[in-house]
Amino acid sequence: MAAPAVSSAHVRAKRQRRRTEILHAALRAFRDKGYHGTTLEDIARQLGVRKTALYYYFPDKEAILYACHREGLEAVAGLIARARQYASHAEQLSRAIREHVQVMTDTLEGSSLALEVSALSPAHRAEVITARDRYEQALRDIVRHGVVTGEFRQVDPKLAVFAILGAINWVARWYSPDGPVHPLDLGLHYADHLLRGLLAP
């Protein structure tokens, strides 16, 4: 009696795996050619399939871009929850920076999605911007509380977070998965450099 349910779960898992494979193939193509320079044929070629196979999962390229954004935003939302487990605001921010760099290099394959929001439909763009603003506000809260407790210098949390996010987003402009720097080491370097300017003497 349980066989149909097991079979259905297997099909859903297989479909989800394939969907994830498509997203990461798209992210690699976006990294190499940019969103506007990438075609569905390019994404299909990364997977070794025909373009028509993509339509079973996504209606068009914009839907793929939107799904990529959703994956990245879900990842950064999760890292904020983990960062808040630390008592020190400096450690919270360090953890957030390290994990955000890893999202850029691993989850997003080094693709500069932050620069492609304008390519989304108005409804998708509004949703992504709202989620992005929520993440940015969470980082500002960490900095602001760190200033109040004396861990950080008297800085403007908004400007501090702009500087942090600008540096992390720029990773997409130069990072290569085949380069000599491991993503975990890169995150440690970024956390070290970006925190030094905030820490109180």
Side-chain angles (χ1 to χ4, degrees):
M1 294 293 292
V6 172
S7 176
S8 178
H10 175 73
V11 169
R12 285 196 300 271
K14 184 176 180 181
R15 179 180 171 82
Q16 182 58 44
R17 283 197 302 272
R18 193 55 168 170
R19 188 176 183 277
T20 300
E21 289 172 357
I22 292 172
L23 293 183
H24 282 267
L27 286 164
R28 289 191 296 272
F30 296 160
R31 182 190 66 217
D32 296 339
K33 293 188 171 185
Y35 172 74
H36 295 289
T38 297
T39 65
L40 288 175
E41 286 88 351
D42 294 326
I43 297 170
R45 194 176 302 116
Q46 288 264 355
L47 292 165
V49 300
R50 294 181 182 275
K51 180 179 72 173
T52 52
L54 303 181
Y55 292 121
Y56 182 66
Y57 300 90
F58 299 98
D60 52 35
K61 189 174 71 166
E62 193 267 343
I64 295 176
L65 177 65
Y66 170 63
C68 289
H69 271 284
R70 287 286 302 271
E71 183 167 316
L73 289 168
E74 287 170 7
V76 294
L79 73 83
I80 286 294
R82 289 187 292 276
R84 284 175 173 157
Q85 295 174 2
Y86 292 89
S88 160
H89 296 100
E91 186 54 43
Q92 288 179 21
L93 190 58
S94 175
R95 175 68 182 258
I97 292 170
R98 296 197 308 270
E99 287 205 32
H100 192 159
V101 170
Q102 194 166 0
V103 168
M104 291 293 296
T105 55
D106 294 352
T107 306
L108 298 182
E109 299 275 357
S111 182
S112 55
L113 284 190
L115 306 178
E116 303 291 2
V117 177
S118 61
L120 295 169
S121 68
H124 287 166
R125 189 185 314 138
E127 180 183 336
V128 166
I129 290 174
T130 296
R132 190 179 64 185
D133 289 348
R134 189 182 307 121
Y135 171 63
E136 182 183 310
Q137 186 59 55
L139 291 179
R140 288 190 203 177
D141 289 343
I142 292 174
V143 174
R144 183 170 59 255
H145 291 310
V147 171
V148 171
T149 59
E151 290 181 66
F152 298 147
R153 296 184 297 106
Q154 292 293 322
V155 297
D156 182 329
K158 179 178 179 179
L159 295 180
V161 170
F162 278 170
I164 290 169
L165 294 180
I168 295 175
N169 287 333
W170 198 254
V171 168
R173 288 302 193 188
W174 60 266
Y175 174 75
S176 169
D178 301 321
V181 183
H182 190 277
L184 292 178
D185 293 331
L186 181 61
L188 289 171
H189 282 298
Y190 264 61
D192 179 51
H193 293 315
L194 293 172
L195 272 175
R196 284 189 185 188
L198 293 176
L199 294 175

